[in-house]
Amino acid sequence: MPSRPSRERAAKVTLNDVAMVAGVDRSVVSRVINGDPNLSVRQETRQRVLDAIDRLGYRPNAAARSLRTARAYMFGLVIPDFANPVYAEIIKGAERAAGNLGYGLMTASSGGVQLGLAHHLALLGQGRVDGLLFAGEETGHELEQLRTSAVPWLLVNRRIEGSRRYVVLDDERGSGLAVEHMVALGHRRIAHLAGPEGADTARRRRAGYTAAMTEAGLNPDPRHVVHADYTSDGGAAAMTALLRIEPRPTAVVVANVASAVGALHTLHEAGLSVPGDLSVIAIHDMPLAGHLVPALTTVRMPLGRLGERALELLATSNLTDDITEVVTEPVDVVVRASTAPPR
Amino acid sequence: MPSRPSRERAAKVTLNDVAMVAGVDRSVVSRVINGDPNLSVRQETRQRVLDAIDRLGYRPNAAARSLRTARAYMFGLVIPDFANPVYAEIIKGAERAAGNLGYGLMTASSGGVQLGLAHHLALLGQGRVDGLLFAGEETGHELEQLRTSAVPWLLVNRRIEGSRRYVVLDDERGSGLAVEHMVALGHRRIAHLAGPEGADTARRRRAGYTAAMTEAGLNPDPRHVVHADYTSDGGAAAMTALLRIEPRPTAVVVANVASAVGALHTLHEAGLSVPGDLSVIAIHDMPLAGHLVPALTTVRMPLGRLGERALELLATSNLTDDITEVVTEPVDVVVRASTAPPR
DNA sequence: TCAAGCAAGTCAAACGATTGTCTAACGAGC
DNA sequence: GCTCGTTAGACAATCGTTTGACTTGCTTGA
């Protein structure tokens, strides 16, 4: 009868221990575990090995395995801030893709600890992960360090000057659709509450806004573009600034949901009705949007797919390959209650 | 002049390579890097070593180091869902604490991939991390597996039957304060929009609600306690149910912010005013709360401190120690616009 | 002059797993 | 009875670091 009884101590059990108990060489145990096709064993021996593993509660040592095989079966993802729900979607997508490939994914944030990229590279060094995804706010200067690193890396959701390894979304199209939605409703004075001036995503969304305005035959008033920092506070402040402009815009395309939350709050405080006095649309969709007051119309971007694709590319690329991909999957407008024709 | 020029290839550089270039034994390089006090070396030699490291772009191999020292200088944290902002605060706290101790923290989610704890244990096995924090939704059954694991672990923000290793917040006090706030405003029919029935945090918050109601001489109507699942959708549905009760409560203590978002939305749809018709307070504070419409009164709980403390305890505990700590740090009411005296 | 002491390193054995190469035993075929 | 081919597993090198023990050549004190 196979030994079902409780496994033993939590002490360190190695391949050698298992081999002793099973009465075989440790190489046999290793091959049994890994299903090595070169191994031939009797069924009975194999069972002895499996029983020993079970009874001792053996767990392979990841460090030893990584050292020997030069693979960690683990990828890393560095994001700026866990509180930003945009990254949650990206992480989920990347985790899904990693799981499908039989890998794990570990995420760390660069924002909290002010130690920067160098810290992460030191920690993640070699041997800990097989590749690194950066969805962060690293400067070009910091990325310089990546060049001397032996682990494959890839920028997610942002490009950086001089880098030829990135995956991004079609942000131009995202804000373009937002503008088109407003235009279709009959708006002509459409403002843009943009992201931080330095950010690549903000730049691309702004470009999409401008292009779509021009395409619609509207000449965007330069005062109608204000920058915020992708936070609720920033969005609130920027909206306050927008409200001072005469004539006031009748619609605003907000660069992300967090800013839109702040913007809606400002409008409420100012006694303005949405969408009565002003229509609001934001880039990126997420569950929160549907529950805001009023429910927020958004442009749904394939953030999960972005994370997924980034990981796939990372897993299959050489360190020296160029990777410059735009994930164009579905981008569409989710119409809710915050947009309507102008009065 | 020290060699400033560009570092070289991204190929694999080992301690041996550095030793060759510097003309010393690899043990010297190792000791220089790690600041071994037993080493005595001439300043000039040390500099040769440092130059070689710099020139070759050497980065220590984490796997080899972990294998040899049996320490990974890395902790792991498993959460159920990155989209839940409550965990963001916990993660940040834990990352901070890890950084202070010279460790890294890697976070993974258990929810996305439906592989469960076993998968994570296999991946994180031995040698990859020095300890594991679980802020998740593991069942007691799953935790059984932890018992055979050699890596120290700790439950965060939840207890589980039979486990003596956890850190939690004072959730009783949190919802107690919420009730007291409502009572102080003059409310008497105070409902509780609770969390999922099975969840430990929900149970404790509910207990705090009941105790505070009793303490205030109010006999809580059992129909005034409804359960939701900590999501916006759940909160919306539960609020709908609450509104059907006669006489209607004048105040509601919501178990978390996500549910409160859904609840506010339901109230808005129902044409009820907050706080005019109903006052709303939620457990946990976060930036979003201040920007909702209306701005949400909350009970601020020290989530960051919880993560921080959990990591500290994990780092300093033996696998066999009991750890049963309640983080009681500041818990206070953040008054915003969603609560007022009853009409 | 000699031993002791110190400075400046060197040597080599681990850590735990993987994997290419070997070997012993056995049965089949002639 | 002998060779050959399999089967079933054993052997041992290796991955890159760390670290206790050891060596070598000087200096110093008596």
Side-chain angles (χ1 to χ4, degrees):
Chain A
M1 208 170 243
S3 63
R4 171 113 13 138
S6 65
R7 293 70 168 255
E8 268 146 47
R9 78 286 176 90
K12 197 163 35 185
V13 179
T14 75
L15 212 46
N16 274 313
D17 301 330
V18 175
M20 306 239 91
V21 170
V24 296
D25 188 82
R26 66 173 174 285
S27 65
V28 173
V29 180
S30 171
R31 287 184 226 252
V32 164
I33 291 175
N34 298 317
D36 185 335
N38 295 326
L39 173 67
S40 78
V41 267
R42 273 172 300 166
Q43 180 51 36
E44 172 215 324
T45 308
R46 176 190 302 274
Q47 195 55 53
R48 271 209 323 280
V49 169
L50 294 175
D51 288 349
I53 288 174
D54 190 49
R55 186 145 61 83
L56 298 178
Y58 168 72
R59 287 190 213 281
N61 182 303
R65 182 176 276 185
S66 297
L67 175 58
R68 178 59 230 243
T69 63
R71 314 202 116 269
Y73 289 97
M74 182 68 70
F75 287 110
L77 166 59
V78 181
I79 63 166
D81 184 6
F82 281 105
N84 186 337
V86 164
Y87 294 110
E89 293 302 314
I90 296 179
I91 297 173
K92 286 187 191 182
E95 280 197 337
R96 201 180 320 132
N100 288 342
L101 293 167
Y103 280 69
L105 178 73
M106 317 251 55
T107 306
S109 87
S110 51
V113 192
Q114 209 46 333
L115 299 173
L117 182 67
H119 176 242
H120 284 282
L121 277 183
L123 227 41
L124 294 173
Q126 261 147 42
R128 188 109 57 178
V129 295
D130 299 323
L132 240 22
L133 252 25
F134 291 93
E137 292 165 339
E138 292 72 26
T139 63
H141 175 64
E142 281 190 304
L143 289 180
E144 181 58 31
Q145 308 193 273
L146 282 178
R147 227 149 260 142
T148 71
S149 152
V151 342
W153 54 275
L154 185 58
L155 297 181
V156 186
N157 201 30
R158 64 192 304 266
R159 298 177 302 195
I160 216 169
E161 217 177 326
S163 141
R164 300 294 294 170
R165 289 180 69 88
Y166 59 83
V167 200
V168 293
L169 291 175
D170 193 347
D171 288 285
E172 285 89 344
R173 183 160 154 67
S175 44
L177 277 178
V179 169
E180 286 170 24
H181 173 69
M182 293 301 193
V183 169
L185 286 171
H187 292 275
R188 302 189 58 80
R189 289 204 304 283
I190 305 168
H192 181 37
L193 202 166
E197 301 221 37
D200 178 55
T201 48
R203 196 160 30 234
R204 296 206 310 279
R205 285 171 209 170
R206 180 178 176 168
Y209 159 82
T210 306
M213 288 295 278
T214 306
E215 176 73 16
L218 300 171
N219 195 16
D221 183 338
R223 298 173 308 158
H224 280 176
V225 176
V226 295
H227 288 269
D229 62 359
Y230 283 155
T231 68
S232 297
D233 280 330
M239 181 53 82
T240 302
L242 265 185
L243 291 181
R244 275 201 280 271
I245 295 173
E246 286 294 341
R248 203 160 67 201
T250 63
V252 56
V253 173
V254 184
N256 75 335
V257 172
S259 294
V261 168
L264 288 179
H265 191 253
T266 292
L267 290 168
H268 177 254
E269 297 282 292
L272 293 173
S273 115
V274 175
D277 295 310
L278 196 74
S279 283
V280 178
I281 189 171
I283 312 292
H284 288 158
D285 191 49
M286 57 189 66
L288 171 66
H291 293 287
L292 291 173
V293 176
L296 184 66
T297 297
T298 61
V299 178
R300 176 163 47 204
M301 307 279 284
L303 285 167
R305 183 65 191 138
L306 172 67
E308 207 170 87
R309 190 71 191 125
L311 196 122
E312 289 166 5
L313 287 168
L314 179 66
T316 57
S317 75
N318 293 331
L319 184 46
T320 53
D321 295 345
D322 275 8
I323 300 178
T324 58
E325 184 163 314
V326 179
V327 174
T328 55
E329 231 83 349
V331 176
D332 51 8
V333 176
V334 181
V335 180
R336 297 203 182 87
S338 67
T339 51
R343 279 221 171 104
Chain B
M1 208 171 238
S3 64
R4 170 114 13 141
S6 65
R7 293 68 167 257
E8 268 146 48
R9 76 290 176 87
K12 195 164 36 186
V13 179
T14 77
L15 214 45
N16 273 314
D17 300 331
V18 175
M20 305 239 91
V21 169
V24 295
D25 188 83
R26 66 174 173 285
S27 65
V28 174
V29 181
S30 171
R31 288 184 224 253
V32 164
I33 291 175
N34 299 317
D36 184 336
N38 293 325
L39 173 67
S40 82
V41 70
R42 271 172 301 171
Q43 180 52 38
E44 171 215 326
T45 308
R46 176 190 302 274
Q47 196 54 55
R48 270 209 323 278
V49 169
L50 294 175
D51 288 349
I53 288 174
D54 190 50
R55 187 144 62 83
L56 298 178
Y58 169 73
R59 287 188 213 283
N61 182 303
R65 180 176 279 184
S66 297
L67 175 58
R68 176 60 228 244
T69 62
R71 310 203 119 269
Y73 290 97
M74 181 68 68
F75 287 111
L77 166 59
V78 181
I79 63 165
D81 184 6
F82 281 105
N84 186 334
V86 165
Y87 295 109
E89 293 303 314
I90 297 179
I91 298 174
K92 285 186 192 182
E95 279 197 338
R96 201 180 320 132
N100 288 343
L101 292 167
Y103 280 68
L105 178 74
M106 316 250 56
T107 305
S109 88
S110 52
V113 192
Q114 209 46 333
L115 299 172
L117 182 66
H119 176 243
H120 285 282
L121 277 182
L123 227 41
L124 295 173
Q126 262 149 41
R128 187 109 56 179
V129 295
D130 298 322
L132 240 22
L133 252 25
F134 290 93
E137 293 166 336
E138 293 72 27
T139 64
H141 174 65
E142 281 189 304
L143 289 181
E144 181 58 31
Q145 307 194 274
L146 282 178
R147 227 149 259 140
T148 71
S149 152
V151 343
W153 55 273
L154 185 58
L155 298 181
V156 185
N157 200 31
R158 64 193 302 267
R159 298 176 305 197
I160 218 170
E161 219 178 324
S163 141
R164 300 294 293 167
R165 290 181 69 89
Y166 59 81
V167 200
V168 294
L169 291 175
D170 193 348
D171 288 284
E172 286 88 346
R173 183 161 156 66
S175 44
L177 277 179
V179 169
E180 286 170 24
H181 173 69
M182 293 300 192
V183 169
L185 286 172
H187 292 274
R188 302 189 60 80
R189 289 205 304 283
I190 304 169
H192 181 37
L193 201 167
E197 301 222 35
D200 177 57
T201 47
R203 196 161 29 236
R204 296 207 311 281
R205 283 170 210 171
R206 182 180 174 165
Y209 159 82
T210 306
M213 288 294 280
T214 307
E215 176 74 18
L218 300 171
N219 192 16
D221 183 338
R223 299 174 308 160
H224 279 178
V225 176
V226 294
H227 288 269
D229 61 358
Y230 283 155
T231 67
S232 297
D233 280 330
M239 180 54 82
T240 302
L242 264 184
L243 289 182
R244 277 201 280 269
I245 296 172
E246 286 295 340
R248 206 161 63 200
T250 62
V252 55
V253 173
V254 183
N256 75 334
V257 172
S259 294
V261 168
L264 288 179
H265 191 252
T266 293
L267 290 167
H268 177 253
E269 297 282 293
L272 293 172
S273 114
V274 176
D277 296 309
L278 197 74
S279 284
V280 178
I281 188 172
I283 313 292
H284 289 155
D285 191 49
M286 58 191 66
L288 170 66
H291 291 287
L292 292 173
V293 176
L296 184 66
T297 296
T298 62
V299 179
R300 177 164 44 203
M301 308 279 285
L303 285 167
R305 182 66 190 138
L306 172 67
E308 207 170 88
R309 190 71 191 126
L311 197 123
E312 288 166 6
L313 287 168
L314 179 67
T316 58
S317 74
N318 293 332
L319 183 47
T320 55
D321 295 344
D322 275 7
I323 300 177
T324 59
E325 183 162 315
V326 178
V327 174
T328 56
E329 231 81 348
V331 175
D332 52 9
V333 176
V334 181
V335 180
R336 297 203 182 88
S338 67
T339 52
R343 280 223 170 103

